[in-house]
Amino acid sequence: MPKNSKVVKRELDDEVIESVKDLLSNEDSSDDAFKKSELMVDDQEEKDVDVEEGSDVEDERPAWNSKLQYILAQVGFSVGLGNVWRFPYLCQKNGGGAYLVPYLILLLIIGIPLFFLELAVGQRIRRGSIGVWNYISPKLGGIGFASCVVCFFVALYYNVIIGWSLFYFSQSFQHPLPWDQCPLVKNTSHTFVEPECEKSSATTYYWYREALNISSSLSESGGLNWKMTICLLAAWVMVCLAMIKGIQSSGKIMYFSSLFPYVVLLCFLIRGLLLNGSVDGIRHMFTPKLEIMLEPKVWREAATQVFFALGLGFGGVIAFSSYNKRDNNCHFDAVLVSFINFFTSVLATLVVFAVLGFKANIINEKCVIQNSEKILKLLKIGNLSQDMIPHHINFSSITAEDYNLVYDIIQKVKEEEFDSLGLKSCQIEDELNKAVQGTGLAFIAFTEAMTHFPASPFWSVMFFLMLVNLGLGSMFGTIEGIITPIVDTFKIRKEILTVICCLVAFFIGLIFVQRSGNYFVTMFDDYSATLPLLIVVILENIAVTRIYGIDKFMEDLKDMLGFSPSQYYYYMWKYVSPLVLLCLLVASIVQMGLSPPGYNAWIEDMATEEFHSYPTWGMIVCISLMVLAILPVPIVFVVRRCNLIDDSSGSLASVSYKRGRIIKEPVNLEGDNTSLIHGKSPSEVPSPNFGKNIYRKQTGSPTLDTAPNGRYGIGYLMADMPDMPESDL
């Protein structure tokens, strides 16, 4: 083409561009809104595309790098400290191996179905807990806020436990371990063992006096424990750095924090099985006591453990699943994570009882030696006759079986004066029957057992590093349950919100690192989560099955998964799970009413724990924790029911993610339960007013529907097109 013809073509192109600009300049702003809203409509074939190729929109919904990363995140959140120090205690207390039967039954009845429900709603709606329940029913939008409050309360004290683990981890790099023996006290005349330690044990003394420096009551603050304050700061810095970029940063850490505990547990199991007495511990653990299974308390505690083991109601499950593609098989995820959680609990129980069996064997050997010396003294002074002792007994190398034989003989012969002899029955079962849980298991019983391990510092480092990773995995999910809903709803920058949240939590958490801080941890653990979370999950179940509609939800699952879920879930969600949850709620309230509210205080002079009732202000704090956690539910219901907030400004309009771009929703004041919930046809729903338009809408063009559920709807302006899915989600 000649050069001058190129110039002519360029001029013609410029004229066309200018003509288009002139044409577009005549359109008013409301017509722009109409055009933009039409661009939001997409068809069924594109609904699973998360980020549009070539999109220049900055705000994109983050996504997991791989399915493995997502599974590890869910496993890390659900598998926590409770699997190590709560489940073994419940097994020991509630019938040994027989306890696994009610646990598995309740896992199938309430655990997996409710876990599947939370995964499904999070994945389909792709929002945090606030956005999800606003979408289902704005009047029940307080469920999401209640989840956030509970997550915040739990995060406050849960990170303190990570701080304790960090302290013990830092003290494990020395030989012998600092809690191996009681410290010696020197005065001007002589040296003696610390009386408080001598009355208890080396590990007990180290926990209460060296680590916590605990006060004698809740009312006695005692000031800050600076060692634990630094550890708490370190724990919050770790959480903040891991969470500051959301799943983009925490997801990578999950590979280590979720897998490392399994490496440690397997190492401990192999090492424990090689220890003397470990088989006794495992045999004691799995010996079933079938008569205990009939007690209602066993089923209540099993249901509570299932409920909290999977992290139901916290919002972390919903937050993590909201970063999935909509066609992800969340049913498979629910079953997989639930059974990984269960088998992790069984693995941890094997490890704990193998080690406790070893510890019980050592204590039993000491008991045999001490009481054998008493028998020899009684023989010398003539209180016992030599004829009682079988000829094959050698007190210099007596076994536990021989001692028990002698003990039984003396008990029968000296029946009347036996108590005055001061002899003890040295039975391994007696030691194993001493139920220990929580911090008592991790920081006292288990640490004492590890002091008898060869290369004990190495095992101590591994154990407390495992506790740190277990705690961090759960903390990531807990913080995600706070950050994701707030970011989705109020559009705050995630980095800024994460830093602010961690700073506020650290400063509030200083009450837990006072000398009386351990008592506050007990208070928050007992009252801040149990009842509120049960109420939250009951309302979640009602919202999906009754408000939204179980039939619609099953259709949505079919559309999302590509197959129809089993009708088993239909009946569980609609009938069985709500009934079981209500029974559990009533049982928990009754149990709380029957149990006197209080805590176990450490008495320094007696070197033992003593039960104290909460003071009046302590009771007010306990009640306030429960009320504050559940208060958002009635507040939001009343506000939405009575229209106490003027929504006309649209300043609080929620924002949804679609194909990687943010869509602001129009305000609908006609009522918050619109076409999505009640199945209205598009013609029955008020259409947005687009103002005057110089272009006449052509006949047969799609009719635009308003966003469902008013301004808290899903945020997609859906056209009434034949190829759109019938799914309401």
Side-chain angles (χ1 to χ4, degrees):
M1 180 184 292
K3 186 180 293 185
N4 58 349
S5 63
K6 289 185 179 180
V7 175
V8 172
K9 183 178 183 302
R10 189 181 303 113
E11 290 175 353
L12 290 173
D13 291 342
D14 292 340
E15 289 178 4
V16 172
I17 292 172
E18 291 298 325
S19 299
V20 172
K21 288 182 179 178
D22 293 339
L23 182 64
L24 293 176
S25 64
N26 293 325
E27 296 185 46
D28 57 18
S29 58
S30 61
D31 200 23
D32 287 338
F34 177 78
K35 289 200 297 127
K36 289 179 182 177
S37 64
E38 283 192 318
L39 290 176
M40 296 175 198
V41 181
D42 64 351
D43 56 25
Q44 174 72 16
E45 294 177 356
E46 295 178 333
K47 70 185 177 90
D48 292 329
V49 179
D50 295 312
V51 180
E52 185 178 4
E53 293 184 9
S55 172
D56 57 352
V57 181
E58 294 180 359
D59 295 285
E60 296 180 353
R61 185 70 170 177
W64 298 104
N65 291 336
S66 66
K67 181 66 175 283
L68 176 61
Q69 190 180 83
Y70 165 68
I71 293 296
L72 290 177
Q74 290 286 15
V75 169
F77 175 50
S78 65
V79 175
L81 297 172
N83 296 74
V84 175
W85 67 31
R86 176 71 179 167
F87 188 89
Y89 161 77
L90 291 174
C91 272
Q92 177 188 23
K93 176 184 173 185
N94 295 319
Y99 173 75
L100 300 180
V101 176
Y103 186 89
L104 272 174
I105 292 173
L106 290 164
L107 181 66
L108 295 173
I109 291 176
I110 63 172
I112 295 177
L114 293 174
F115 192 61
F116 180 27
L117 184 145
E118 289 200 355
L119 288 179
V121 296
Q123 178 176 308
R124 188 58 164 167
I125 302 174
R126 306 202 75 208
R127 293 196 196 180
S129 55
I130 296 176
V132 161
W133 303 114
N134 272 335
Y135 168 69
I136 296 294
S137 174
K139 289 188 180 69
L140 293 179
I143 297 174
F145 289 98
S147 293
C148 289
V149 173
V150 173
C151 280
F152 186 71
F153 284 161
V154 171
L156 287 176
Y157 74 85
Y158 204 86
N159 222 23
V160 175
I161 301 174
I162 298 177
W164 294 342
S165 303
L166 284 173
F167 174 76
Y168 269 79
F169 172 74
S170 66
Q171 299 299 306
S172 298
F173 293 91
Q174 48 188 307
H175 186 75
L177 292 169
W179 50 84
D180 185 30
Q181 295 179 345
C182 287
L184 299 176
V185 180
K186 296 181 180 179
N187 59 17
T188 53
S189 58
H190 63 283
T191 302
F192 57 93
V193 177
E194 171 64 49
E196 185 181 3
C197 183
E198 191 174 21
K199 293 175 184 176
S200 54
S201 68
T203 51
T204 304
Y205 172 81
Y206 191 87
W207 167 242
Y208 284 115
R209 190 55 50 211
E210 296 294 335
L212 300 181
N213 193 20
I214 199 166
S215 62
S216 58
S217 72
L218 182 70
S219 302
E220 183 185 337
S221 167
L224 289 177
N225 180 340
W226 289 105
K227 292 182 290 187
M228 289 305 172
T229 303
I230 294 171
C231 291
L232 178 63
L233 177 62
W236 275 115
V237 168
M238 292 168 63
V239 171
C240 185
L241 293 177
M243 296 298 301
I244 198 163
K245 293 291 185 182
I247 63 169
Q248 306 296 342
S249 53
S250 64
K252 298 178 177 64
I253 299 173
M254 293 294 181
Y255 288 108
F256 179 77
S257 64
S258 296
L259 293 175
F260 179 74
Y262 290 96
V263 175
V264 176
L265 285 174
L266 288 173
C267 291
F268 263 99
L269 180 61
I270 295 170
R271 185 67 188 91
L273 292 174
L274 299 176
L275 296 172
N276 186 26
S278 61
V279 177
D280 295 323
I282 294 175
R283 186 189 303 116
H284 176 83
M285 157 62 213
F286 284 106
T287 300
K289 302 169 186 173
L290 298 177
E291 66 280 1
I292 297 182
M293 279 181 58
L294 301 176
E295 298 180 10
K297 179 188 68 172
V298 174
W299 291 82
R300 178 182 61 81
E301 292 187 342
T304 305
Q305 180 63 17
V306 168
F307 185 85
F308 288 105
L310 294 174
L312 299 174
F314 279 94
V317 174
I318 294 175
F320 280 151
S321 66
S322 71
Y323 299 115
N324 272 331
K325 292 183 178 181
R326 284 192 180 82
D327 60 352
N328 175 61
N329 189 347
C330 55
H331 174 256
F332 172 79
D333 300 342
V335 175
L336 177 65
V337 173
S338 298
F339 278 102
I340 288 177
N341 186 292
F342 170 70
F343 288 118
T344 304
S345 298
V346 174
L347 174 62
T349 302
L350 286 171
V351 171
V352 166
F353 275 89
V355 174
L356 291 183
F358 165 68
K359 172 176 170 280
N361 191 70
I362 291 176
I363 294 175
N364 195 61
E365 288 177 357
K366 291 180 180 178
C367 176
V368 169
I369 293 172
Q370 291 172 355
N371 284 273
S372 296
E373 292 174 353
K374 286 184 181 180
I375 293 174
L376 288 173
K377 290 179 181 179
L378 292 171
L379 289 172
K380 285 182 181 179
I381 62 178
N383 286 2
L384 294 177
S385 171
Q386 188 68 43
D387 297 334
M388 297 181 186
I389 312 300
H391 297 292
H392 70 279
I393 300 295
N394 181 8
F395 282 102
S396 60
S397 58
I398 190 171
T399 63
E401 291 77 11
D402 289 342
Y403 170 78
N404 287 321
L405 176 62
V406 173
Y407 179 88
D408 291 339
I409 293 172
I410 296 174
Q411 189 177 29
K412 290 176 182 178
V413 175
K414 298 284 187 179
E415 185 175 356
E416 295 181 358
E417 52 187 279
F418 180 78
D419 293 338
S420 62
L421 299 178
L423 297 177
K424 294 181 180 179
S425 174
C426 298
Q427 299 285 345
I428 290 181
E429 287 74 15
D430 294 338
E431 188 64 31
L432 288 171
N433 281 329
K434 294 178 181 178
V436 184
Q437 66 166 325
T439 54
L441 173 64
F443 299 108
I444 297 177
F446 215 87
T447 50
E448 182 178 349
M450 286 189 295
T451 57
H452 301 288
F453 281 22
S456 55
F458 168 77
W459 293 104
S460 182
V461 167
M462 294 284 283
F463 177 71
F464 289 110
L465 186 58
M466 178 190 72
L467 291 187
V468 170
N469 279 276
L470 284 172
L472 286 177
S474 297
M475 274 298 294
F476 293 158
T478 304
I479 297 298
E480 198 69 53
I482 303 171
I483 301 297
T484 298
I486 296 177
V487 168
D488 285 351
T489 305
F490 301 106
K491 295 301 129 194
I492 303 172
R493 281 193 62 184
K494 179 165 285 190
E495 296 86 348
I496 295 174
L497 180 61
T498 302
V499 172
I500 292 174
C501 180
C502 291
L503 278 175
V504 171
F506 167 72
F507 284 112
I508 296 176
L510 292 177
I511 65 172
F512 301 107
V513 289
Q514 303 175 95
R515 290 184 59 196
S516 60
N518 188 44
Y519 307 138
F520 283 98
V521 170
T522 302
M523 177 190 291
F524 272 67
D525 190 36
D526 289 342
Y527 293 96
S528 68
T530 307
L531 290 183
L533 280 181
L534 279 171
I535 295 172
V536 163
V537 176
I538 290 172
L539 291 175
E540 288 181 359
N541 196 291
I542 293 173
V544 171
T545 59
R546 308 294 175 182
I547 307 297
Y548 179 70
I550 185 66
D551 294 319
K552 292 181 183 178
F553 188 59
M554 295 296 285
E555 290 176 6
D556 292 328
L557 289 175
K558 181 179 179 181
D559 173 63
M560 183 169 63
L561 301 176
F563 62 89
S564 297
S566 170
Q567 286 297 304
Y568 169 81
Y569 293 104
Y570 179 93
Y571 294 107
M572 289 296 109
W573 286 329
K574 191 170 184 179
Y575 302 110
V576 180
S577 294
L579 182 62
V580 173
L581 287 173
L582 283 172
C583 293
L584 181 58
L585 177 63
V586 172
S588 299
I589 293 173
V590 171
Q591 174 66 20
M592 194 171 288
L594 295 177
S595 303
Y599 60 99
N600 290 319
W602 178 255
I603 309 303
E604 182 176 357
D605 296 336
M606 300 168 58
T608 186
E609 288 184 334
E610 184 178 277
F611 183 81
H612 285 187
S613 296
Y614 285 121
T616 303
W617 65 267
M619 287 299 302
I620 294 173
V621 173
C622 293
I623 296 171
S624 299
L625 288 173
M626 293 186 288
V627 171
L628 286 174
I630 206 63
L631 196 59
V633 175
I635 288 179
V636 172
F637 181 84
V638 171
V639 167
R640 300 272 170 78
R641 183 71 179 83
C642 302
N643 293 323
L644 298 180
I645 295 181
D646 181 16
D647 290 347
S648 59
S649 64
S651 59
L652 294 177
S654 61
V655 180
S656 296
Y657 289 93
K658 182 64 175 173
R659 302 186 61 195
R661 58 182 70 199
I662 288 181
I663 303 166
K664 193 151 186 175
E665 300 172 4
V667 178
N668 179 7
L669 300 178
E670 297 296 325
D672 46 23
N673 291 324
T674 55
S675 59
L676 177 71
I677 302 301
H678 298 295
K680 295 180 182 179
S681 64
S683 60
E684 295 174 315
V685 183
S687 298
N689 181 16
F690 296 108
K692 296 180 179 179
N693 193 336
I694 61 172
Y695 300 105
R696 184 181 301 275
K697 188 171 174 57
Q698 296 182 3
T699 306
S701 61
T703 303
L704 210 63
D705 190 12
T706 55
N709 294 333
R711 34 172 291 209
Y712 290 94
I714 189 60
Y716 309 138
L717 297 174
M718 302 180 68
D720 187 21
M721 298 173 65
D723 59 341
M724 288 296 291
E726 294 179 359
S727 164
D728 293 319
L729 286 175

